[in-house]
Amino acid sequence: MKLMLGLCSALLLLFLTGSCSAQKPHRCRTPPLLSGSLSVSAREGQDWAFAKYRYDAFGQRIRLWEIGQFQSRSFHADMLFLFQEGVVYTINYKNQTCQKNPLHTAFHPSEIPHNASLLSQVILGGSSAPGEGLLVNTWTGDVPETGGKYLATVTEFGCLPVSTLYYTAESGWIVTTYFNAVKGVEDPEQFFPPHFCTDVETEDETLNFFSAFL
Amino acid sequence: MKLMLGLCSALLLLFLTGSCSAQKPHRCRTPPLLSGSLSVSAREGQDWAFAKYRYDAFGQRIRLWEIGQFQSRSFHADMLFLFQEGVVYTINYKNQTCQKNPLHTAFHPSEIPHNASLLSQVILGGSSAPGEGLLVNTWTGDVPETGGKYLATVTEFGCLPVSTLYYTAESGWIVTTYFNAVKGVEDPEQFFPPHFCTDVETEDETLNFFSAFL
């Protein structure tokens, strides 16, 4: 009888644990300090960019170093977005020049929006041995402002971005893949404009965050 | 002096270990028995398929259950490829019907070809905590037969497929993502044709493996 009770308790515990860990994923927010890399491609790979980024949700700051190709022309850029101050710096270390533009985009922390719907939870790769797979959640939703839609995939553990697919009739599919993320920012001075930006006049033209990829 | 020697040995050991683990990835072959899922998309997502697969490189057999959309028409299929026997069965359990076609594709094990070039090694997601990232290698190469090119991404540990991008001028980009892989095949009878396939005559039309996705 004791054995039966013991077995039942063990099974009950198993099912309770199972039901807890089998809970559906929750919408989540990316860690507030993050360093890593990303690649973006559009128009079936004809336009593309590869970027290293530093992300600071506390200070609402993003630094991007990118190379890429847009409309058959290659480009590279070093940009610093300071959302609280409403400015973006385009930095050229080689020539020691700097351009300062107004930034009229509000800072949006990297997160799964509250109205996103869970599409799937899968393991990229496999689960037969450690290190062979990555548990990820894919969320989908609409962007009413643009008539667009998105699929966003983040890690179950840590809520790190893995990929986003964004579609509008105008742009087609824009595919972004995120990799080599590290929590934290090694050098916070990368959010300081360099000394040759200090006395630069602000240009008239307003930029938004997506200017970095266009 | 002893301390200095000890420190030097420790550093030497660190560098030696570092140089070993920093060795470049090797071309590899997928485990011979594998079960999992995949999604394929082409023409900017207008054509797509989602499939569960069972893969047996020993017996040169593949079973596929798939649903999808091709040229705006939805389809579903249950196919069994027996490469050693040179036949493919298209199975319909609901109607208990079966079609048997000659299969003239040679079996190619899932592997990184010997002439592929390493493009990159990255961690999908991140490396700051366990379970938040997946170390993967991306290989690229040409397919002279079709004038196409490919990018194949596999896990560093286990050589499990993660994604392939295949391009020809005719097809555009075909993107395949692999997930939920488990080493082994739970039910080997899934490689047996069902009983209602036994006395079916072989059709004249020859199929190849890619017929499953066209």
Side-chain angles (χ1 to χ4, degrees), chain A residues 125-198:
Chain A
S127 58
S128 290
E132 294 185 357
L134 182 64
L135 186 62
V136 297
N137 302 318
T138 300
W139 299 85
T140 184
D142 297 315
V143 185
E145 296 87 343
T146 60
K149 58 185 172 180
Y150 66 87
L151 281 94
T153 301
V154 297
T155 59
E156 165 68 24
F157 300 108
C159 197
L160 298 181
V162 173
S163 67
T164 56
L165 281 82
Y166 175 64
Y167 178 85
T168 67
E170 195 187 352
S171 66
W173 285 99
I174 300 174
V175 181
T176 309
T177 306
Y178 300 84
F179 47 92
N180 295 352
V182 169
K183 282 186 220 170
V185 167
E186 199 179 336
D187 179 5
E189 291 194 2
Q190 289 174 331
F191 294 116
F192 291 180
H195 67 91
F196 52 84
C197 287
T198 311

Side-chain angles (χ1 to χ4, degrees), chain B:
Chain B
M1 191 62 192
K2 262 191 177 169
L3 181 69
M4 274 298 283
L5 274 175
L7 189 65
C8 287
S9 310
L11 281 175
L12 190 67
L13 187 69
L14 184 72
F15 285 124
L16 283 176
T17 319
S19 77
C20 289
S21 62
Q23 277 178 359
K24 279 205 166 180
H26 295 284
R27 292 164 192 85
C28 62
R29 184 172 282 191
T30 298
L33 293 173
L34 203 66
S35 305
S37 298
L38 60 87
S39 68
V40 192
S41 77
R43 295 202 306 140
E44 289 255 296
Q46 291 178 68
D47 297 336
W48 60 268
F50 168 86
K52 286 193 179 242
Y53 67 85
R54 301 289 180 263
Y55 168 83
D56 172 11
F58 297 126
Q60 303 193 352
R61 306 178 290 187
I62 291 173
R63 180 80 182 258
L64 278 182
W65 302 267
E66 54 172 343
I67 58 166
Q69 186 170 290
F70 181 66
Q71 294 180 340
S72 304
R73 295 182 60 175
S74 63
F75 70 92
H76 59 97
D78 177 352
M79 298 178 89
L80 172 62
F81 296 84
L82 302 177
F83 290 86
Q84 279 179 344
E85 298 176 29
V87 292
V88 49
Y89 292 96
T90 307
I91 300 160
N92 187 326
Y93 265 97
K94 195 176 161 195
N95 300 341
Q96 300 269 302
T97 56
C98 186
Q99 184 182 312
K100 184 179 178 181
N101 290 75
L103 174 65
H104 282 179
T105 317
F107 180 77
H108 289 289
S110 170
E111 66 182 357
I112 301 299
H114 67 93
N115 55 357
S117 308
L118 183 69
L119 189 68
S120 66
Q121 178 174 83
V122 304
I123 297 158
L124 291 178
S127 58
S128 289
E132 294 186 1
L134 182 63
L135 186 62
V136 296
N137 303 318
T138 300
W139 300 84
T140 184
D142 297 315
V143 185
E145 296 87 342
T146 60
K149 57 185 173 180
Y150 67 87
L151 281 93
T153 301
V154 297
T155 59
E156 165 68 24
F157 301 108
C159 197
L160 298 181
V162 173
S163 67
T164 56
L165 281 83
Y166 174 65
Y167 178 86
T168 67
E170 194 187 354
S171 66
W173 285 101
I174 300 173
V175 181
T176 309
T177 305
Y178 300 84
F179 47 93
N180 294 353
V182 168
K183 282 185 221 170
V185 167
E186 199 179 336
D187 179 5
E189 291 195 0
Q190 289 173 331
F191 293 117
F192 291 180
H195 67 90
F196 51 85
C197 288
T198 311
D199 299 320
V200 168
E201 294 287 311
T202 308
E203 308 265 321
D204 291 333
E205 189 192 3
T206 297
L207 295 185
N208 64 47
F209 180 61
F210 298 100
S211 309
F213 298 104
L214 296 177

Side-chain angles (χ1 to χ4, degrees), chain A residues 8 182 190 206 213:
Chain A
C8 287
V182 169
Q190 289 174 331
T206 297
F213 299 105

Side-chain angles (χ1 to χ4, degrees), chain A residues 50-183:
Chain A
F50 168 85
K52 285 192 179 246
Y53 68 84
R54 301 289 179 266
Y55 168 82
D56 172 10
F58 296 125
Q60 303 193 353
R61 306 178 292 187
I62 291 173
R63 181 81 183 256
L64 278 181
W65 300 267
E66 54 171 343
I67 57 167
Q69 185 170 291
F70 182 65
Q71 292 179 341
S72 305
R73 294 182 59 176
S74 63
F75 70 92
H76 59 99
D78 176 354
M79 299 179 89
L80 172 61
F81 296 83
L82 301 177
F83 290 86
Q84 279 178 344
E85 299 176 30
V87 292
V88 49
Y89 293 96
T90 307
I91 299 160
N92 187 327
Y93 265 99
K94 196 177 162 196
N95 300 340
Q96 299 271 301
T97 56
C98 186
Q99 183 181 314
K100 185 178 177 182
N101 290 74
L103 173 66
H104 282 179
T105 317
F107 181 78
H108 289 290
S110 171
E111 66 181 358
I112 300 300
H114 66 94
N115 54 358
S117 308
L118 183 69
L119 189 69
S120 66
Q121 179 174 80
V122 304
I123 297 159
L124 292 178
S127 58
S128 290
E132 294 185 357
L134 182 64
L135 186 62
V136 297
N137 302 318
T138 300
W139 299 85
T140 184
D142 297 315
V143 185
E145 296 87 343
T146 60
K149 58 185 172 180
Y150 66 87
L151 281 94
T153 301
V154 297
T155 59
E156 165 68 24
F157 300 108
C159 197
L160 298 181
V162 173
S163 67
T164 56
L165 281 82
Y166 175 64
Y167 178 85
T168 67
E170 195 187 352
S171 66
W173 285 99
I174 300 174
V175 181
T176 309
T177 306
Y178 300 84
F179 47 92
N180 295 352
V182 169
K183 282 186 220 170

